[in-house]
Amino acid sequence: MLKLHNLKMRYPNGDGLDGVNLEVRNGEFVYLVGPTGAGKTSVLKLIYMEEFPDEGYVLVDEYSSQDIRDKEIPYLRRKLGIIFQDFKLLEDRDVFENVAFVLRVTGARSRDIKKKTLRALGEVGLSHKSRKMPEELSGGEQQRVAIARAIVNEPFILLADEPTGNLDPKTAVEILSLLDKLNARGTAVLMATHNYELVNNTSKRIVSIKNGRTLN
Ligand SMILES: Nc1ncnc2c1ncn2[C@@H]1O[C@H](COP(=O)(O)OP(=O)(O)OP(=O)(O)O)[C@@H](O)[C@H]1O
Ligand SMILES: [Mg+2]
């Protein structure tokens, strides 16, 4: 369960968030939609606790922004899968290692690392490219690797920040269908976008954000 309650946050320049309320239940798919500068990325940063609010709180299962300790933050992040517009793959290692390294840092056994990594790559349809380097892949394939990395710890929710922003329309649709498939298997999704066309015909829940405030 994810809950954002009355979040306010100011960056030093005065911009920021000014009243964000949102609940995402397990298994839900929610679009966070708003124009550029509305605060979408800031909301996601508060959820994975790269930033902390000045007022209000974030609850991610048992973790609250009000009393989480620094050393608990890696555990919080294992409950979340995070996907970015620019993929953020490690260019110096292959597809398999890009996914596996998030398990290596948890100290998992190598047999489990292999099993889970191959399973995640299978989910995104890239089992056959596990020994390719990121630069050998198309943008859509790179985003699939990033999605495999995001799901390998079996998070209850995926946070996607404009995940189709660097992709052509056809590839964008494929990535959306992949998120849909993962959602149908039970993972919640919170996807931020300023692309209103993308959500025009959706049957999914839409939360709008403008000037740092969610409108409900
Ligand atoms: N690190 C920062 N320091 C100062 N101001 C920031 C910082 N990050 C974001 N802002 C400002 O906070 C506001 C919200 O930015 P944010 O990146 O959350 O918007 P967004 O909705 O994700 O926009 P976009 O659709 O362009 O990605 C903007 O006015 C932005 O300029
Ligand atoms: Mg943004």
Side-chain angles (χ1 to χ4, degrees), residues 36-42 44 85 161-162 192 194:
T36 183
K40 304 176 296 294
T41 297
S42 304
L44 298 182
Q85 175 170 353
D161 195 354
E162 210 74 65
H194 54 237

Side-chain angles (χ1 to χ4, degrees), residues 95-96 117-132 144-145 148:
V95 164
F96 182 94
T117 300
L118 292 178
R119 189 169 63 204
L121 287 172
E123 289 262 26
V124 303
L126 280 184
S127 306
H128 58 301
K129 301 235 164 152
S130 69
R131 290 304 170 194
K132 295 278 186 200
R144 284 173 188 272
V145 177

Side-chain angles (χ1 to χ4, degrees), residues 59-215:
L59 267 184
V60 179
D61 277 349
E62 73 266 34
Y63 296 110
S64 164
S65 60
Q66 289 175 309
D67 58 13
I68 192 167
R69 298 160 186 227
D70 282 352
K71 65 174 189 205
E72 291 173 320
I73 287 182
Y75 297 95
L76 156 85
R77 293 195 181 149
R78 278 174 220 166
K79 291 180 173 276
L80 311 167
I82 311 174
I83 306 160
F84 302 95
Q85 175 170 353
D86 60 355
F87 324 136
K88 296 199 195 299
L89 299 179
L90 301 167
E91 296 296 330
D92 65 343
R93 57 198 83 185
D94 67 17
V95 164
F96 182 94
E97 282 306 319
N98 262 280
V99 178
F101 96 96
V102 297
L103 297 168
R104 296 197 195 287
V105 300
T106 70
R109 295 186 312 171
S110 69
R111 236 183 42 208
D112 292 335
I113 291 175
K114 189 168 177 194
K115 199 171 82 189
K116 289 183 174 181
T117 300
L118 292 178
R119 189 169 63 204
L121 287 172
E123 289 262 26
V124 303
L126 280 184
S127 306
H128 58 301
K129 301 235 164 152
S130 69
R131 290 304 170 194
K132 295 278 186 200
M133 298 300 280
E135 65 184 14
E136 299 177 273
L137 303 178
S138 69
E141 288 170 336
Q142 291 188 45
Q143 191 59 299
R144 284 173 188 272
V145 177
I147 293 172
R149 178 182 61 189
I151 62 175
V152 75
N153 272 318
E154 298 177 40
F156 80 91
I157 187 168
L158 288 172
L159 307 176
D161 195 354
E162 210 74 65
T164 62
N166 283 5
L167 304 174
D168 64 71
K170 179 167 166 280
T171 310
V173 168
E174 288 168 11
I175 292 296
L176 286 184
S177 330
L178 175 57
L179 293 178
D180 240 347
K181 180 186 96 172
L182 297 170
N183 176 245
R185 297 198 183 164
T187 311
V189 177
L190 177 61
M191 174 172 153
T193 183
H194 54 237
N195 186 343
Y196 288 87
E197 263 175 56
L198 216 58
V199 301
N200 254 342
N201 293 310
T202 187
S203 54
K204 298 184 165 49
R205 192 173 139 214
I206 297 179
V207 173
S208 297
I209 180 166
K210 248 183 195 164
N211 299 326
R213 286 170 183 259
T214 45
L215 321 165

